[in-house]
């Protein structure tokens, strides 16, 4: 049964019934302690990279971690981890593919015969695939399930917020001033859906000069601190542009990258179990 909407709907562009949470149970054999959404209001800010590195950070802390790749039309998680399908199924359900360090991963690319085949589906079909990843995949003894969402506030984020009991979201941004407005959209959607926001991660925040160590603002001065203050959100991390991270990601070896820029964000996620 839908819960009553307690949101001020006077300026709302989503009808109350579609916004009311209708969380559905996961697979009967799944056991997931916390679900964390990684979102962005626009594409190109490194949301999937952030999702992947958060999962790696939590795995290094000793947690059992999973990644549900909800970015159906742009699935990059398997590439970052160097994993391939096909994901195996049993009579009970679909078994996630494990990464080199034991992270459970489910992505549409792990179900396609051709990993480079485009997914040309309409919104409702894409949303249905995300529901399948929640209800038909066996997520066994997962401490943290990270949901890598597509950018924006469309069908899939709405489906995730309605279907999955999301315990918190992390908003990924980049330094450009335009992103302040985009973060605002993500914040407002989270409030509409009564989903807690853990904080903001700014990706591509700066580059470090290899000779002198100076921080170079490649995309201009950061605005994330003022954006965070505006919405009362903590800035969990400022991730630099790192050629080594790009190299490891391209090689499907993101788990070997030794960076610690996301430690603050990982601590905020770990605190949910305390």
């Amino acid at each position: 049964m839908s819960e009553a909407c307690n949101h001020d709907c006077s300026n709302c562009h989503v009808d109350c019934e579609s916004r009311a949470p209708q969380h559905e149970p996961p697979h009967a054999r799944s056991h997931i302690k916390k679900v964390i959404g990684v979102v962005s209001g626009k594409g190109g800010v490194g949301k999937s990279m952030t999702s992947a590195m958060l999962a790696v950070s939590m795995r290094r802390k000793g947690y059992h971690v999973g990644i549900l790749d909800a970015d159906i039309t742009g699935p990059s998680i398997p590439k970052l981890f160097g994993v391939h399908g096909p994901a195996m199924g049993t009579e009970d359900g679909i078994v996630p593919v494990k990464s080199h360090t034991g992270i459970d991963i489910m992505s549409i690319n792990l179900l396609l015969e051709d990993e480079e085949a485009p997914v040309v589906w309409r919104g409702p079909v894409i949303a249905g695939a995300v529901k399948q990843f929640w209800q038909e995949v066996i997520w066994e003894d997962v401490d943290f399930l990270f949901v890598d969402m597509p950018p924006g506030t469309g069908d899939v984020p709405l489906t995730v917020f309605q279907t999955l009991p999301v315990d918190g979201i992390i908003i990924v941004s980049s330094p450009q001033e335009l992103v302040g407005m985009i973060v605002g959209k993500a914040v407002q959607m989270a409030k509409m859906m009564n989903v807690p926001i853990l904080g903001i991660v700014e990706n591509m925040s700066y580059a470090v000069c290899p000779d002198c160590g100076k921080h170079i603002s490649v995309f201009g001065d950061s605005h994330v601190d003022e954006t965070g203050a505006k919405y009362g959100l903590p800035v969990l991390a400022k991730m630099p542009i790192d050629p080594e991270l790009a190299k490891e990601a391209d090689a499907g070896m993101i788990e070997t990258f030794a960076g610690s820029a996301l430690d603050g964000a990982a601590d905020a996620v770990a605190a949910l179990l305390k």
Side-chain angles (χ1 to χ4, degrees):
M1 181 179 293
S2 300
E3 297 178 11
C5 172
N6 60 7
H7 175 72
D8 178 6
C9 300
S10 56
N11 294 310
C12 183
H13 298 281
V14 181
D15 65 279
C16 290
E17 184 171 344
S18 67
R19 186 173 57 250
Q22 299 171 334
H23 299 152
E24 299 182 16
H27 189 282
R29 284 180 50 193
S30 291
H31 184 259
I32 305 159
K33 292 180 181 176
K34 298 293 179 181
V35 178
I36 310 297
V38 182
V39 309
S40 63
K42 66 183 292 296
V45 298
K47 171 187 49 57
S48 293
M49 186 75 78
T50 303
S51 299
M53 284 308 302
L54 274 171
V56 170
S57 297
M58 299 308 293
R59 183 71 185 118
R60 289 173 180 167
K61 288 178 176 289
Y63 295 105
H64 187 185
V65 181
I67 304 178
L68 190 162
D69 188 357
D71 195 352
I72 302 295
T73 59
S76 53
I77 292 295
K79 171 66 176 176
L80 295 176
F81 285 90
V83 297
H84 304 277
M88 303 304 293
T90 69
E91 292 182 358
D92 291 335
I94 304 170
V95 180
V97 174
K98 286 192 178 293
S99 73
H100 304 295
T101 64
I103 296 173
D104 290 339
I105 297 173
M106 179 48 59
S107 170
I108 195 68
N109 261 20
L110 300 176
L111 300 176
L112 298 176
E113 291 185 7
D114 179 3
E115 294 180 350
E116 297 185 1
V119 179
V120 188
W121 296 346
R122 295 189 183 276
V125 180
I126 294 173
V130 173
K131 284 187 176 182
Q132 283 186 296
F133 287 174
W134 172 248
Q135 296 175 312
E136 298 182 21
V137 173
I138 304 171
W139 301 99
E140 283 192 292
D141 298 322
V142 171
D143 294 310
F144 296 100
L145 179 65
F146 290 96
V147 182
D148 182 29
M149 298 233 234
T153 56
D155 282 347
V156 173
L158 186 60
T159 296
V160 169
F161 288 147
Q162 288 181 325
T163 306
L164 280 63
V166 179
D167 296 284
I169 66 168
I170 290 176
I171 300 174
V172 183
S173 71
S174 59
Q176 297 94 327
E177 188 170 1
L178 166 67
V179 174
M181 178 188 70
I182 303 302
V183 168
K185 290 182 179 293
V187 168
Q188 292 302 318
M189 183 174 191
K191 288 182 177 179
M192 288 178 183
M193 306 302 296
N194 297 315
V195 177
I197 305 172
L198 302 182
I200 306 173
V201 168
E202 182 177 72
N203 192 30
M204 301 178 286
S205 187
Y206 57 89
V208 179
C209 174
D211 297 321
C212 67
K214 178 182 178 181
H215 287 197
I216 303 168
S217 300
V218 178
F219 294 108
D221 293 335
S222 171
H223 297 274
V224 70
D225 289 323
E226 57 195 71
T227 300
K230 177 180 178 181
Y231 295 107
L233 299 174
V235 177
L236 301 175
K238 296 180 180 179
M239 291 182 64
I241 298 171
D242 192 324
E244 187 63 26
L245 174 57
K247 177 182 176 182
E248 299 297 311
D250 285 344
M253 300 174 62
I254 196 167
E255 289 164 292
T256 65
F257 180 69
S260 58
L262 278 174
D263 282 357
D267 289 342
V269 171
L272 293 176
L273 282 183
K274 296 179 180 178

